Amino acid sequence: MIVCQNIKQLREQTAMWRKNDERIAFVPTMGNLHDGHLSLVEIAHQHAVRVVVSIYVNPLQFAPGEDFASYPRTLEDDLKQLQMLGVDLVFTPDTQIVYPNGDQQNTFVQVPKLSDILEGEFRPGFFTGVCTVVLKLFNMVQPDCAVFGEKDFQQLLVVRQMVNDLDLPVEIIAGAIKREADGLAMSSRNNYLNSADRATSRYLSKALAFCRQQIDRGVNVDEAEKNAVATLQKQGFIVDYVTLREAERLEKVSPADITANTELVILAAAKLGNTRLIDNVRFVKSAKS
Ligand code: PAF
């Protein structure tokens, strides 16, 4: 497995693979890898001969006061896991490499509308940071396809929109959410939870599952969302949102718009102590109700 920090070495290697007609799949990460990331690597292997993973904690997507400084950095462990999965190249640039112009970097990628709602509302600037670094990484790696996890469902849609709008020749592939035994969606930030909060955190996926069940049974959407919020608050969560959306543009759906074929998603974000968790459940309303 090649581990490289600089763009020249990365480009020389990926150019060689392209010259040999070897398809390249890319998995961008911020490291501190868990089974969720590893499942994305497995998907990457199914779509290409060569797999490149990047590990870079991108300062541009953290607002002041967020956890950039404390974000877990576990490079040695990460590399061991990636080696075991047969990854071809791990790109581990530092900020000098990614943003050599520092404060003089004046070009940012924005995907308005889709980026302004939900996560964008609670984390202003987050998607500009994500899109800017993802586009830069795409330009560095020049992959044929890239795999993003559905846990960050809005991020997946925003990246897809950027790729469509800018005609980037990269196929975006979605990887299903990986969950702990009690249902908690895997995330590097789960490590921040103390043991009491870790025990409580399981209610997030349970509240989503119950909300879905209620909507499926024809309970009024507002009421189902409010029930989920109330359940979470009772368990000690500070809830940012629990909301039903259609699963393409994340627009609100009225009951009249929901047919048996409408792809729906319930998204939630809530804090337990200082840890902000997000989760979602995607579904199509069952035909019977
Ligand atoms: O999902 C993440 O880990 C990050 O947002 C990403 C896509 C690696 C960009 O920094």
Side-chain angles (χ1 to χ4, degrees), residues 26-31 37 40 54-59 61-62 71 99 123 126-127 129-134 137 147-149 151-152 155-156 159 188-189:
F26 176 45
V27 184
T29 80
M30 299 207 298
H37 295 110
L40 303 182
S54 65
I55 297 180
Y56 176 61
V57 184
N58 171 35
Q61 68 190 73
F62 290 79
Y71 197 86
Y99 300 109
R123 302 183 68 190
F126 170 68
F127 287 118
V130 169
C131 287
T132 303
V133 81
V134 168
L137 290 167
V147 192
F148 288 80
K151 194 201 133 242
D152 298 291
Q155 169 175 279
L156 168 70
V159 168
S188 302
R189 290 191 168 100

Side-chain angles (χ1 to χ4, degrees), residues 217-247:
R217 287 188 190 142
V219 172
N220 171 286
V221 172
D222 267 0
E223 200 181 315
E225 290 171 351
K226 276 188 194 138
N227 288 345
V229 171
T231 307
L232 290 169
Q233 285 172 337
K234 212 165 124 201
Q235 294 299 334
F237 286 85
I238 308 288
V239 181
D240 285 345
Y241 57 82
V242 176
T243 182
L244 174 78
R245 302 287 164 116
E246 52 71 30

